[in-house]
Amino acid sequence: LLSDFLFWFTHWMRHKVPTFWYFHAVHHAAPNLNTLTDNRVHFVEAMISATIVLIPARFLGLSAPAAFALVVATTYFTAWTHTAIRTNMGPLRYVLVTPQYHRVHHSHSPEHIDVNFGTVFSFWDRIFHTQYQGWDEYPETCIADPKFPLEDRPTPGRLVKTYFAMVLYPFRQMAGDVGKFRRPVSDPAAAVD
């Protein structure tokens, strides 16, 4: 339960903290959800999220084999929630994340932005008021950022180029953010400082 809350919290942070979002955007850029979408993550995001969840679990006494089993079980469950299956699992949707519930999270529609962060349990979103209850909605998925390098042609050369552009995307965005805080040299206020 604690691990799932940490997954929810870190997922929420990946949407709310711009630097974390730049890395998480790689996952959200998938135009079609399927069982492999959950593995479409930037390597930096994978390292950060695993650290944020596994270290506290170990400090709280979870054995290494138990922590590993938890990761494996969660991985299979989240692979299932990324499928294109149209199901909300009836009353279980009030407890568990379903494929449609998580599909809404991947939607680029304005009403779906920053909702449904749950990994296994959906009640965290209800508790923290981030739940969207359009249980039967089946929206299109992808990212709305026009600067993100999406796959536009499935040729081998183009796919490799796009992959490297996606890996570099977060770093370019962060460099742009740093530039926003610099004063131009010609700024008279800068000379006074």
Side-chain angles (χ1 to χ4, degrees):
L1 194 62
L2 177 62
S3 174
D4 193 63
F5 170 73
L6 289 173
F7 276 122
W8 179 91
F9 180 70
T10 60
H11 194 182
W12 177 82
M13 283 181 49
R14 284 177 260 166
H15 281 257
K16 297 299 184 180
V17 177
T19 301
F20 293 164
W21 167 252
Y22 300 147
F23 291 100
H24 191 55
V26 171
H27 176 68
H28 274 266
N32 300 301
L33 295 186
N34 59 57
T35 56
L36 297 176
T37 305
D38 193 41
N39 294 315
R40 180 190 174 123
V41 294
H42 195 283
F43 70 93
V44 172
E45 179 186 7
M47 291 186 303
I48 292 170
S49 62
T51 303
I52 289 173
V53 174
L54 287 177
I55 288 179
R58 290 289 288 137
F59 277 123
L60 291 171
L62 198 62
S63 70
F68 179 74
L70 181 64
V71 169
V72 169
T74 303
T75 299
Y76 278 100
F77 186 82
T78 56
W80 178 73
T81 62
H82 282 87
T83 61
I85 298 171
R86 293 181 187 230
T87 181
N88 268 313
M89 298 169 31
L92 284 176
R93 71 179 177 240
Y94 298 109
V95 179
L96 297 174
V97 171
T98 70
Q100 274 185 253
Y101 185 90
H102 197 67
R103 183 179 188 85
V104 166
H105 173 77
H106 276 265
S107 169
H108 54 76
S109 297
E111 68 272 17
H112 299 151
I113 302 296
D114 292 342
V115 298
N116 296 2
F117 297 105
T119 299
V120 174
F121 297 114
S122 61
F123 53 74
W124 299 118
D125 288 308
R126 197 165 40 262
I127 291 168
F128 295 106
H129 307 287
T130 56
Q131 186 175 67
Y132 183 84
Q133 295 184 352
W135 305 114
D136 296 322
E137 293 183 29
Y138 196 80
E140 290 185 18
T141 61
C142 200
I143 190 169
D145 184 350
K147 291 182 255 171
F148 193 88
L150 295 171
E151 299 101 349
D152 56 356
R153 290 185 308 249
T155 62
R158 186 68 183 160
L159 289 174
V160 169
K161 183 178 177 182
T162 303
Y163 169 77
F164 284 110
M166 285 182 192
V167 169
L168 293 175
Y169 171 83
F171 302 107
R172 288 184 175 154
Q173 294 299 106
M174 290 187 301
D177 286 351
V178 169
K180 292 176 189 175
F181 298 108
R182 291 188 195 156
R183 286 191 199 166
V185 177
S186 62
D187 184 357
V192 175
D193 291 334

mmCIF file of all heavy atoms in Angstrom, residues 2-8 10 14 45-75:
data_model
loop_
_atom_site.group_PDB
_atom_site.id
_atom_site.type_symbol
_atom_site.label_atom_id
_atom_site.label_comp_id
_atom_site.label_asym_id
_atom_site.label_seq_id
_atom_site.Cartn_x
_atom_site.Cartn_y
_atom_site.Cartn_z
ATOM 1 N N LEU A 2 1.909 1.255 0.841
ATOM 2 C CA LEU A 2 2.826 2.395 0.897
ATOM 3 C C LEU A 2 3.560 2.555 -0.437
ATOM 4 O O LEU A 2 3.723 3.665 -0.949
ATOM 5 C CB LEU A 2 3.829 2.233 2.045
ATOM 6 C CG LEU A 2 4.882 3.326 2.141
ATOM 7 C CD1 LEU A 2 4.232 4.689 2.392
ATOM 8 C CD2 LEU A 2 5.864 3.004 3.253
ATOM 9 N N SER A 3 3.993 1.460 -1.002
ATOM 10 C CA SER A 3 4.680 1.507 -2.288
ATOM 11 C C SER A 3 3.772 2.105 -3.355
ATOM 12 O O SER A 3 4.207 2.943 -4.150
ATOM 13 C CB SER A 3 5.118 0.099 -2.687
ATOM 14 O OG SER A 3 5.653 0.116 -3.975
ATOM 15 N N ASP A 4 2.515 1.702 -3.380
ATOM 16 C CA ASP A 4 1.599 2.224 -4.382
ATOM 17 C C ASP A 4 1.364 3.717 -4.173
ATOM 18 O O ASP A 4 1.262 4.474 -5.133
ATOM 19 C CB ASP A 4 0.276 1.460 -4.368
ATOM 20 C CG ASP A 4 -0.547 1.779 -5.597
ATOM 21 O OD1 ASP A 4 -0.077 1.471 -6.716
ATOM 22 O OD2 ASP A 4 -1.635 2.362 -5.457
ATOM 23 N N PHE A 5 1.288 4.152 -2.904
ATOM 24 C CA PHE A 5 1.156 5.588 -2.647
ATOM 25 C C PHE A 5 2.390 6.332 -3.175
ATOM 26 O O PHE A 5 2.276 7.390 -3.780
ATOM 27 C CB PHE A 5 0.984 5.900 -1.156
ATOM 28 C CG PHE A 5 1.093 7.375 -0.882
ATOM 29 C CD1 PHE A 5 0.076 8.235 -1.254
ATOM 30 C CD2 PHE A 5 2.242 7.898 -0.305
ATOM 31 C CE1 PHE A 5 0.199 9.609 -1.051
ATOM 32 C CE2 PHE A 5 2.378 9.263 -0.095
ATOM 33 C CZ PHE A 5 1.347 10.125 -0.470
ATOM 34 N N LEU A 6 3.587 5.763 -2.950
ATOM 35 C CA LEU A 6 4.809 6.399 -3.454
ATOM 36 C C LEU A 6 4.804 6.454 -4.978
ATOM 37 O O LEU A 6 5.230 7.452 -5.572
ATOM 38 C CB LEU A 6 6.052 5.674 -2.945
ATOM 39 C CG LEU A 6 6.348 5.843 -1.452
ATOM 40 C CD1 LEU A 6 7.488 4.940 -1.029
ATOM 41 C CD2 LEU A 6 6.652 7.295 -1.120
ATOM 42 N N PHE A 7 4.305 5.402 -5.632
ATOM 43 C CA PHE A 7 4.164 5.429 -7.088
ATOM 44 C C PHE A 7 3.219 6.560 -7.497
ATOM 45 O O PHE A 7 3.487 7.302 -8.434
ATOM 46 C CB PHE A 7 3.639 4.102 -7.634
ATOM 47 C CG PHE A 7 4.681 3.053 -7.847
ATOM 48 C CD1 PHE A 7 4.582 1.828 -7.203
ATOM 49 C CD2 PHE A 7 5.749 3.264 -8.696
ATOM 50 C CE1 PHE A 7 5.536 0.841 -7.410
ATOM 51 C CE2 PHE A 7 6.712 2.288 -8.913
ATOM 52 C CZ PHE A 7 6.604 1.071 -8.257
ATOM 53 N N TRP A 8 2.079 6.680 -6.790
ATOM 54 C CA TRP A 8 1.122 7.751 -7.098
ATOM 55 C C TRP A 8 1.785 9.110 -6.926
ATOM 56 O O TRP A 8 1.715 9.974 -7.807
ATOM 57 C CB TRP A 8 -0.116 7.662 -6.187
ATOM 58 C CG TRP A 8 -1.085 8.776 -6.471
ATOM 59 C CD1 TRP A 8 -2.117 8.752 -7.354
ATOM 60 C CD2 TRP A 8 -1.070 10.088 -5.912
ATOM 61 N NE1 TRP A 8 -2.742 9.969 -7.381
ATOM 62 C CE2 TRP A 8 -2.123 10.807 -6.497
ATOM 63 C CE3 TRP A 8 -0.270 10.730 -4.964
ATOM 64 C CZ2 TRP A 8 -2.401 12.132 -6.180
ATOM 65 C CZ3 TRP A 8 -0.533 12.062 -4.652
ATOM 66 C CH2 TRP A 8 -1.593 12.746 -5.257
ATOM 67 N N THR A 10 5.010 10.007 -6.832
ATOM 68 C CA THR A 10 6.070 10.317 -7.796
ATOM 69 C C THR A 10 5.488 10.555 -9.190
ATOM 70 O O THR A 10 6.011 11.380 -9.930
ATOM 71 C CB THR A 10 7.145 9.213 -7.853
ATOM 72 O OG1 THR A 10 6.546 7.974 -8.232
ATOM 73 C CG2 THR A 10 7.850 9.064 -6.521
ATOM 74 N N ARG A 14 5.916 13.933 -11.361
ATOM 75 C CA ARG A 14 6.414 13.948 -12.742
ATOM 76 C C ARG A 14 5.557 14.811 -13.653
ATOM 77 O O ARG A 14 5.994 15.225 -14.720
ATOM 78 C CB ARG A 14 6.498 12.525 -13.300
ATOM 79 C CG ARG A 14 7.692 11.780 -12.749
ATOM 80 C CD ARG A 14 7.724 10.369 -13.244
ATOM 81 N NE ARG A 14 7.188 9.517 -12.189
ATOM 82 C CZ ARG A 14 6.824 8.264 -12.347
ATOM 83 N NH1 ARG A 14 6.921 7.681 -13.515
ATOM 84 N NH2 ARG A 14 6.369 7.573 -11.335
ATOM 85 N N GLU A 45 14.269 8.958 -16.116
ATOM 86 C CA GLU A 45 13.026 8.787 -15.350
ATOM 87 C C GLU A 45 12.973 7.416 -14.695
ATOM 88 O O GLU A 45 12.571 7.281 -13.545
ATOM 89 C CB GLU A 45 11.799 8.972 -16.239
ATOM 90 C CG GLU A 45 10.512 8.773 -15.468
ATOM 91 C CD GLU A 45 9.258 8.808 -16.316
ATOM 92 O OE1 GLU A 45 9.358 8.858 -17.556
ATOM 93 O OE2 GLU A 45 8.173 8.768 -15.722
ATOM 94 N N ALA A 46 13.394 6.389 -15.417
ATOM 95 C CA ALA A 46 13.384 5.028 -14.865
ATOM 96 C C ALA A 46 14.277 4.945 -13.628
ATOM 97 O O ALA A 46 13.889 4.349 -12.615
ATOM 98 C CB ALA A 46 13.837 4.026 -15.923
ATOM 99 N N MET A 47 15.441 5.551 -13.676
ATOM 100 C CA MET A 47 16.352 5.513 -12.526
ATOM 101 C C MET A 47 15.781 6.292 -11.340
ATOM 102 O O MET A 47 15.824 5.824 -10.204
ATOM 103 C CB MET A 47 17.724 6.091 -12.912
ATOM 104 C CG MET A 47 18.490 5.215 -13.874
ATOM 105 S SD MET A 47 20.169 5.774 -14.223
ATOM 106 C CE MET A 47 19.926 7.432 -14.827
ATOM 107 N N ILE A 48 15.213 7.453 -11.610
ATOM 108 C CA ILE A 48 14.664 8.286 -10.533
ATOM 109 C C ILE A 48 13.469 7.611 -9.872
ATOM 110 O O ILE A 48 13.399 7.509 -8.648
ATOM 111 C CB ILE A 48 14.284 9.683 -11.067
ATOM 112 C CG1 ILE A 48 15.542 10.463 -11.448
ATOM 113 C CG2 ILE A 48 13.469 10.458 -10.039
ATOM 114 C CD1 ILE A 48 15.262 11.745 -12.206
ATOM 115 N N SER A 49 12.527 7.122 -10.660
ATOM 116 C CA SER A 49 11.317 6.538 -10.068
ATOM 117 C C SER A 49 11.629 5.262 -9.305
ATOM 118 O O SER A 49 11.065 5.019 -8.237
ATOM 119 C CB SER A 49 10.238 6.309 -11.120
ATOM 120 O OG SER A 49 10.679 5.397 -12.090
ATOM 121 N N ALA A 50 12.531 4.441 -9.819
ATOM 122 C CA ALA A 50 12.904 3.219 -9.100
ATOM 123 C C ALA A 50 13.556 3.561 -7.771
ATOM 124 O O ALA A 50 13.269 2.945 -6.731
ATOM 125 C CB ALA A 50 13.839 2.363 -9.949
ATOM 126 N N THR A 51 14.407 4.564 -7.755
ATOM 127 C CA THR A 51 15.084 4.978 -6.522
ATOM 128 C C THR A 51 14.100 5.520 -5.501
ATOM 129 O O THR A 51 14.152 5.162 -4.322
ATOM 130 C CB THR A 51 16.154 6.041 -6.845
ATOM 131 O OG1 THR A 51 17.064 5.491 -7.797
ATOM 132 C CG2 THR A 51 16.903 6.472 -5.606
ATOM 133 N N ILE A 52 13.172 6.364 -5.951
ATOM 134 C CA ILE A 52 12.218 6.989 -5.035
ATOM 135 C C ILE A 52 11.314 5.954 -4.377
ATOM 136 O O ILE A 52 10.902 6.121 -3.235
ATOM 137 C CB ILE A 52 11.387 8.062 -5.768
ATOM 138 C CG1 ILE A 52 12.289 9.267 -6.080
ATOM 139 C CG2 ILE A 52 10.191 8.494 -4.951
ATOM 140 C CD1 ILE A 52 11.637 10.314 -6.944
ATOM 141 N N VAL A 53 11.023 4.876 -5.052
ATOM 142 C CA VAL A 53 10.127 3.865 -4.494
ATOM 143 C C VAL A 53 10.895 2.767 -3.747
ATOM 144 O O VAL A 53 10.529 2.374 -2.642
ATOM 145 C CB VAL A 53 9.232 3.254 -5.594
ATOM 146 C CG1 VAL A 53 8.419 2.106 -5.059
ATOM 147 C CG2 VAL A 53 8.323 4.334 -6.157
ATOM 148 N N LEU A 54 11.975 2.269 -4.320
ATOM 149 C CA LEU A 54 12.665 1.122 -3.723
ATOM 150 C C LEU A 54 13.453 1.453 -2.465
ATOM 151 O O LEU A 54 13.445 0.674 -1.511
ATOM 152 C CB LEU A 54 13.582 0.455 -4.743
ATOM 153 C CG LEU A 54 12.862 -0.336 -5.823
ATOM 154 C CD1 LEU A 54 13.847 -0.909 -6.827
ATOM 155 C CD2 LEU A 54 12.036 -1.458 -5.216
ATOM 156 N N ILE A 55 14.095 2.598 -2.413
ATOM 157 C CA ILE A 55 14.888 2.929 -1.217
ATOM 158 C C ILE A 55 14.005 3.052 0.024
ATOM 159 O O ILE A 55 14.299 2.436 1.051
ATOM 160 C CB ILE A 55 15.770 4.175 -1.461
ATOM 161 C CG1 ILE A 55 16.899 3.786 -2.415
ATOM 162 C CG2 ILE A 55 16.321 4.728 -0.154
ATOM 163 C CD1 ILE A 55 17.837 4.902 -2.780
ATOM 164 N N PRO A 56 12.904 3.811 -0.032
ATOM 165 C CA PRO A 56 12.043 3.842 1.164
ATOM 166 C C PRO A 56 11.489 2.460 1.530
ATOM 167 O O PRO A 56 11.369 2.129 2.715
ATOM 168 C CB PRO A 56 10.906 4.787 0.776
ATOM 169 C CG PRO A 56 11.472 5.636 -0.297
ATOM 170 C CD PRO A 56 12.440 4.760 -1.042
ATOM 171 N N ALA A 57 11.157 1.649 0.526
ATOM 172 C CA ALA A 57 10.645 0.300 0.811
ATOM 173 C C ALA A 57 11.683 -0.515 1.572
ATOM 174 O O ALA A 57 11.360 -1.219 2.521
ATOM 175 C CB ALA A 57 10.250 -0.393 -0.481
ATOM 176 N N ARG A 58 12.927 -0.409 1.161
ATOM 177 C CA ARG A 58 14.009 -1.149 1.837
ATOM 178 C C ARG A 58 14.225 -0.612 3.255
ATOM 179 O O ARG A 58 14.410 -1.373 4.192
ATOM 180 C CB ARG A 58 15.304 -1.059 1.024
ATOM 181 C CG ARG A 58 15.270 -1.832 -0.269
ATOM 182 C CD ARG A 58 15.285 -3.338 -0.083
ATOM 183 N NE ARG A 58 16.612 -3.732 0.361
ATOM 184 C CZ ARG A 58 16.841 -4.616 1.322
ATOM 185 N NH1 ARG A 58 15.835 -5.218 1.916
ATOM 186 N NH2 ARG A 58 18.059 -4.916 1.684
ATOM 187 N N PHE A 59 14.174 0.722 3.419
ATOM 188 C CA PHE A 59 14.346 1.314 4.748
ATOM 189 C C PHE A 59 13.222 0.924 5.695
ATOM 190 O O PHE A 59 13.415 0.847 6.900
ATOM 191 C CB PHE A 59 14.452 2.840 4.672
ATOM 192 C CG PHE A 59 15.817 3.335 4.357
ATOM 193 C CD1 PHE A 59 16.029 4.146 3.260
ATOM 194 C CD2 PHE A 59 16.912 2.999 5.151
ATOM 195 C CE1 PHE A 59 17.297 4.616 2.948
ATOM 196 C CE2 PHE A 59 18.186 3.455 4.859
ATOM 197 C CZ PHE A 59 18.382 4.268 3.752
ATOM 198 N N LEU A 60 12.047 0.679 5.143
ATOM 199 C CA LEU A 60 10.915 0.279 5.981
ATOM 200 C C LEU A 60 10.891 -1.225 6.243
ATOM 201 O O LEU A 60 9.942 -1.740 6.804
ATOM 202 C CB LEU A 60 9.601 0.736 5.342
ATOM 203 C CG LEU A 60 9.408 2.245 5.342
ATOM 204 C CD1 LEU A 60 8.208 2.633 4.499
ATOM 205 C CD2 LEU A 60 9.256 2.775 6.762
ATOM 206 N N GLY A 61 11.935 -1.919 5.808
ATOM 207 C CA GLY A 61 12.072 -3.325 6.169
ATOM 208 C C GLY A 61 11.667 -4.337 5.122
ATOM 209 O O GLY A 61 11.685 -5.540 5.395
ATOM 210 N N LEU A 62 11.304 -3.906 3.943
ATOM 211 C CA LEU A 62 10.939 -4.859 2.895
ATOM 212 C C LEU A 62 12.213 -5.537 2.393
ATOM 213 O O LEU A 62 13.181 -4.879 2.049
ATOM 214 C CB LEU A 62 10.239 -4.116 1.748
ATOM 215 C CG LEU A 62 9.422 -4.951 0.781
ATOM 216 C CD1 LEU A 62 8.275 -5.651 1.498
ATOM 217 C CD2 LEU A 62 8.847 -4.053 -0.311
ATOM 218 N N SER A 63 12.217 -6.836 2.398
ATOM 219 C CA SER A 63 13.405 -7.575 1.962
ATOM 220 C C SER A 63 13.650 -7.354 0.475
ATOM 221 O O SER A 63 12.733 -7.005 -0.272
ATOM 222 C CB SER A 63 13.229 -9.067 2.240
ATOM 223 O OG SER A 63 12.255 -9.610 1.373
ATOM 224 N N ALA A 64 14.878 -7.575 0.050
ATOM 225 C CA ALA A 64 15.216 -7.399 -1.370
ATOM 226 C C ALA A 64 14.360 -8.292 -2.275
ATOM 227 O O ALA A 64 13.833 -7.817 -3.283
ATOM 228 C CB ALA A 64 16.705 -7.635 -1.593
ATOM 229 N N PRO A 65 14.180 -9.590 -1.944
ATOM 230 C CA PRO A 65 13.315 -10.419 -2.801
ATOM 231 C C PRO A 65 11.862 -9.922 -2.832
ATOM 232 O O PRO A 65 11.218 -9.949 -3.875
ATOM 233 C CB PRO A 65 13.392 -11.811 -2.182
ATOM 234 C CG PRO A 65 14.688 -11.822 -1.429
ATOM 235 C CD PRO A 65 14.865 -10.413 -0.940
ATOM 236 N N ALA A 66 11.362 -9.450 -1.680
ATOM 237 C CA ALA A 66 9.990 -8.944 -1.637
ATOM 238 C C ALA A 66 9.876 -7.659 -2.456
ATOM 239 O O ALA A 66 8.898 -7.450 -3.186
ATOM 240 C CB ALA A 66 9.552 -8.704 -0.202
ATOM 241 N N ALA A 67 10.881 -6.788 -2.358
ATOM 242 C CA ALA A 67 10.882 -5.550 -3.143
ATOM 243 C C ALA A 67 10.912 -5.869 -4.632
ATOM 244 O O ALA A 67 10.197 -5.260 -5.427
ATOM 245 C CB ALA A 67 12.067 -4.671 -2.749
ATOM 246 N N PHE A 68 11.721 -6.858 -5.003
ATOM 247 C CA PHE A 68 11.801 -7.269 -6.405
ATOM 248 C C PHE A 68 10.456 -7.839 -6.876
ATOM 249 O O PHE A 68 9.981 -7.515 -7.968
ATOM 250 C CB PHE A 68 12.923 -8.296 -6.587
ATOM 251 C CG PHE A 68 13.042 -8.782 -8.001
ATOM 252 C CD1 PHE A 68 13.592 -7.965 -8.982
ATOM 253 C CD2 PHE A 68 12.589 -10.044 -8.366
ATOM 254 C CE1 PHE A 68 13.699 -8.399 -10.296
ATOM 255 C CE2 PHE A 68 12.693 -10.487 -9.672
ATOM 256 C CZ PHE A 68 13.250 -9.668 -10.639
ATOM 257 N N ALA A 69 9.826 -8.657 -6.054
ATOM 258 C CA ALA A 69 8.514 -9.232 -6.402
ATOM 259 C C ALA A 69 7.468 -8.130 -6.572
ATOM 260 O O ALA A 69 6.632 -8.189 -7.485
ATOM 261 C CB ALA A 69 8.073 -10.225 -5.331
ATOM 262 N N LEU A 70 7.544 -7.117 -5.718
ATOM 263 C CA LEU A 70 6.625 -5.990 -5.807
ATOM 264 C C LEU A 70 6.812 -5.254 -7.142
ATOM 265 O O LEU A 70 5.836 -4.926 -7.818
ATOM 266 C CB LEU A 70 6.860 -5.029 -4.639
ATOM 267 C CG LEU A 70 5.978 -3.802 -4.563
ATOM 268 C CD1 LEU A 70 4.531 -4.204 -4.342
ATOM 269 C CD2 LEU A 70 6.463 -2.896 -3.450
ATOM 270 N N VAL A 71 8.059 -5.051 -7.511
ATOM 271 C CA VAL A 71 8.347 -4.379 -8.787
ATOM 272 C C VAL A 71 7.832 -5.206 -9.959
ATOM 273 O O VAL A 71 7.212 -4.675 -10.887
ATOM 274 C CB VAL A 71 9.858 -4.084 -8.922
ATOM 275 C CG1 VAL A 71 10.202 -3.644 -10.329
ATOM 276 C CG2 VAL A 71 10.279 -3.033 -7.913
ATOM 277 N N VAL A 72 8.061 -6.508 -9.942
ATOM 278 C CA VAL A 72 7.612 -7.380 -11.030
ATOM 279 C C VAL A 72 6.080 -7.378 -11.131
ATOM 280 O O VAL A 72 5.515 -7.218 -12.219
ATOM 281 C CB VAL A 72 8.155 -8.816 -10.850
ATOM 282 C CG1 VAL A 72 7.485 -9.781 -11.817
ATOM 283 C CG2 VAL A 72 9.669 -8.828 -11.037
ATOM 284 N N ALA A 73 5.401 -7.515 -9.997
ATOM 285 C CA ALA A 73 3.936 -7.528 -10.003
ATOM 286 C C ALA A 73 3.380 -6.201 -10.515
ATOM 287 O O ALA A 73 2.451 -6.178 -11.331
ATOM 288 C CB ALA A 73 3.413 -7.825 -8.593
ATOM 289 N N THR A 74 3.969 -5.107 -10.060
ATOM 290 C CA THR A 74 3.517 -3.791 -10.502
ATOM 291 C C THR A 74 3.768 -3.610 -11.990
ATOM 292 O O THR A 74 2.940 -3.051 -12.710
ATOM 293 C CB THR A 74 4.221 -2.681 -9.690
ATOM 294 O OG1 THR A 74 3.953 -2.891 -8.301
ATOM 295 C CG2 THR A 74 3.730 -1.309 -10.091
ATOM 296 N N THR A 75 4.898 -4.096 -12.476
ATOM 297 C CA THR A 75 5.230 -3.990 -13.900
ATOM 298 C C THR A 75 4.193 -4.705 -14.755
ATOM 299 O O THR A 75 3.732 -4.162 -15.774
ATOM 300 C CB THR A 75 6.640 -4.564 -14.167
ATOM 301 O OG1 THR A 75 7.587 -3.807 -13.410
ATOM 302 C CG2 THR A 75 6.986 -4.508 -15.636
#
